[in-house]
Amino acid sequence: MDDQELIRLAVEARTRAYAPYSHFQVGAALLAADGTVYQGCNIENAAYTPSNCAERTAFFKAVSESCQRFRAIAIVGGPEGGSLQLTAPCGVCRQVMMEFCDPETFRILMADERGQQKEYLLKELMPESFSAADLALCTGERMKISHPEPDSLRCASAVAKRVSPAPGDPGGEYEAKSSRQLDFEEKKTKEESAWIKVSGTT
């Protein structure tokens, strides 16, 4: 599917937005790895907190239908009755994307009424992100993952290695280190090497 069609489906999804409070309507079209497109719109609530963004609506719809692999998302938004404007995903939606998408390859498309478009990789919109790998690092334990080869562990902010998969368990276990710990270990190794040279220790 080309980008223009994905954007068109996001525009279509926006027509179903429920935004009686902000009057800012958003539509999203999420492209799965198998080519299926899941549409989502923002759904507001009088209590505000239960409101849901268009992007998360699309993701949750997909996951509820057993889809967990994604390639791109198109997002359009603008005031009710007004023109479309370039609309970026909020921080919460970016965190949801981090859970299911590879930030090195997942594309985020935005478009406005005049045909202007912007495209980002997830890693550009979510640098120094928190992911499943950080949980493994914080607990110091191997982390059990229920779905196979999670994209959340194949990302710029984490390095993961699959270990000891249980028979019949496609998820297996993963050892993970965040990029922050890897940088620290590399720095420590260099410092130790420098100390050995200065002291003459072998």
Side-chain angles (χ1 to χ4, degrees):
M1 175 175 294
D2 63 30
D3 292 350
Q4 295 307 310
E5 177 63 11
L6 196 63
I7 291 170
R8 186 192 70 78
L9 291 172
V11 172
E12 179 183 276
R14 180 176 175 266
T15 64
R16 298 188 286 273
Y18 178 75
Y21 308 106
S22 72
H23 302 287
F24 193 91
Q25 300 175 322
V26 183
L30 177 62
L31 178 62
D34 64 1
T36 303
V37 175
Y38 297 89
Q39 293 174 295
C41 60
N42 57 323
I43 304 170
E44 296 182 349
N45 189 283
Y48 291 97
T49 302
S51 300
N52 203 54
C53 298
E55 299 92 321
R56 280 180 285 147
T57 299
F59 268 95
F60 296 160
K61 181 190 295 185
V63 174
S64 71
E65 296 180 15
S66 300
C67 179
Q68 298 180 2
R69 295 286 181 271
F70 307 103
R71 291 160 47 191
I73 189 170
I75 306 164
V76 297
E80 182 178 356
S83 299
L84 297 178
Q85 61 190 55
L86 294 174
T87 304
C90 73
V92 175
C93 288
R94 297 180 197 195
Q95 185 64 51
V96 169
M97 293 176 191
M98 277 298 305
E99 184 68 23
F100 297 103
C101 306
D102 181 351
E104 293 284 346
T105 60
F106 185 73
R107 300 165 60 232
I108 300 168
L109 311 172
M110 294 171 272
D112 66 11
E113 195 77 25
R114 298 172 298 175
Q116 181 182 3
Q117 295 182 26
K118 284 190 175 182
E119 176 181 333
Y120 296 93
L121 291 176
L122 178 54
K123 69 177 182 178
E124 296 176 296
L125 294 186
M126 198 69 171
E128 294 298 328
S129 59
F130 183 87
S131 70
D134 292 283
L135 292 178
L137 172 63
C138 291
T139 61
E141 299 175 352
R142 292 178 179 176
M143 180 175 51
K144 187 74 172 182
I145 299 293
S146 60
H147 54 94
E149 299 178 3
D151 283 343
S152 57
L153 289 181
R154 296 200 308 270
C155 64
S157 64
V159 176
K161 179 178 67 175
R162 186 171 181 175
V163 295
S164 305
D169 179 7
E173 296 179 340
Y174 290 81
E175 288 181 333
K177 293 182 179 180
S178 72
S179 59
R180 292 184 293 277
Q181 184 180 15
L182 292 172
D183 290 342
F184 173 78
E185 290 179 352
E186 181 180 2
K187 181 180 179 181
K188 183 178 178 182
T189 299
K190 289 180 179 178
E191 289 176 347
E192 289 176 346
S193 297
W195 183 84
I196 289 171
K197 289 179 181 179
V198 170
S199 66
T201 304
T202 57

